Amino acid sequence: MTTSPFYAQQNDQYLWARLCQGDREAFGELYRRYFPMLFRYCIRFTTDRGLVKDMLQDFFSQLFQHREGLSLPANMKSYLMVSARRKLFRYMDKAAHLPATLEEGAALFTLELSPEHAMISRQQAEQTSKLLQQRINSLTPRQKEAIYLRFYENMTYEDIAGIMEMKEVKYARTLIYRALAELKELLVPDEAMLLFR
């Protein structure tokens, strides 16, 4: 979906206002800006890429269909992430992708290190990445999601609390603090290996 250079230069608030008036190019620009980010976020809850693509197509279609009832969100990125997350959970529930043992609102959330994080030799980077990934895998799904939102998407604690449907912002801070503390504790025995390999 391509849009004109004019729309590519406009801010989200302008595009949203134009979307509410039925402007397809403004909608196209919002889609272009946010579909990749929402896909990267949602694919961390399921490996079913087709399901995520279908859900996001449906999500954006409904956004356009119900445009007249929309109000301008205070934070566009946060609003879209919350909405897409909820819709994904409904899709996964219908497709029986959610294990019965998951806590309310928690889903299988995977978090992987980006390949360019290491500035050491390739072999050391692979060993370090493998070790860190093992430690990250020991976190709970909600801890992984909070870490992703904070450090990969640069979301504020307020946004994280909203996206993850927490009653108070302090719960988001606590969740991230505990996840980092657990990672640090898990890495202490391996610290020498990481530093001196």
Side-chain angles (χ1 to χ4, degrees):
M1 187 176 287
T2 60
T3 55
S4 72
F6 171 77
Y7 285 95
Q9 297 173 3
Q10 301 306 312
N11 65 32
D12 289 346
Q13 291 74 20
Y14 174 83
L15 295 172
W16 191 265
R18 296 294 301 158
L19 160 65
C20 292
Q21 296 171 3
D23 186 327
R24 289 186 179 275
E25 279 202 74
F27 169 74
E29 180 59 25
L30 286 170
Y31 179 93
R32 187 192 65 74
R33 286 182 190 179
Y34 286 102
F35 185 93
M37 182 269 301
L38 291 173
F39 182 82
R40 284 190 313 271
Y41 176 55
C42 290
I43 200 67
R44 296 183 181 281
F45 291 100
T46 177
T47 57
D48 190 341
R49 298 171 76 85
L51 181 131
V52 172
K53 285 180 184 178
D54 290 345
M55 180 280 298
L56 286 173
Q57 292 292 341
D58 189 32
F59 171 74
F60 277 102
S61 294
Q62 286 183 353
L63 189 68
F64 190 78
Q65 289 171 356
H66 301 292
R67 66 190 175 276
E68 293 171 0
L70 297 174
S71 58
L72 180 65
N75 182 319
M76 184 81 59
K77 183 177 181 179
S78 184
Y79 170 81
L80 292 173
M81 289 179 88
V82 167
S83 301
R85 182 180 192 263
R86 287 181 183 155
K87 187 162 192 69
L88 177 65
F89 286 176
R90 286 192 301 271
Y91 258 67
M92 290 170 62
D93 194 33
K94 286 179 188 174
H97 280 64
L98 284 176
T101 59
L102 289 176
E103 302 169 16
E104 181 181 333
L108 180 63
F109 191 88
T110 59
L111 180 60
E112 298 172 5
L113 296 170
S114 60
E116 59 275 350
H117 81 282
M119 304 207 40
I120 55 179
S121 73
R122 182 151 179 81
Q123 183 179 18
Q124 286 178 315
E126 287 174 9
Q127 291 171 345
T128 302
S129 293
K130 186 175 180 181
L131 177 64
L132 289 174
Q133 188 63 55
Q134 289 171 348
R135 300 307 184 237
I136 286 172
N137 288 341
S138 70
L139 297 176
T140 68
R142 286 186 64 82
Q143 287 175 323
K144 291 179 206 174
E145 182 179 2
I147 293 288
Y148 172 82
L149 293 171
R150 181 72 177 140
F151 298 106
Y152 286 66
E153 293 295 338
N154 298 315
M155 304 296 285
T156 65
Y157 291 111
E158 291 80 9
D159 292 337
I160 294 167
I163 290 168
M164 295 182 70
E165 300 177 348
M166 296 174 175
K167 292 181 181 176
E168 295 185 41
V169 174
K170 68 180 180 180
Y171 298 139
R173 284 190 185 97
T174 302
L175 184 63
I176 292 170
Y177 172 79
R178 286 184 180 158
L180 293 175
E182 283 184 35
L183 277 177
K184 184 177 180 182
E185 187 178 310
L186 289 168
L187 288 172
V188 167
D190 302 311
E191 190 173 348
M193 185 181 81
L194 289 173
L195 294 174
F196 300 112
R197 286 191 74 94

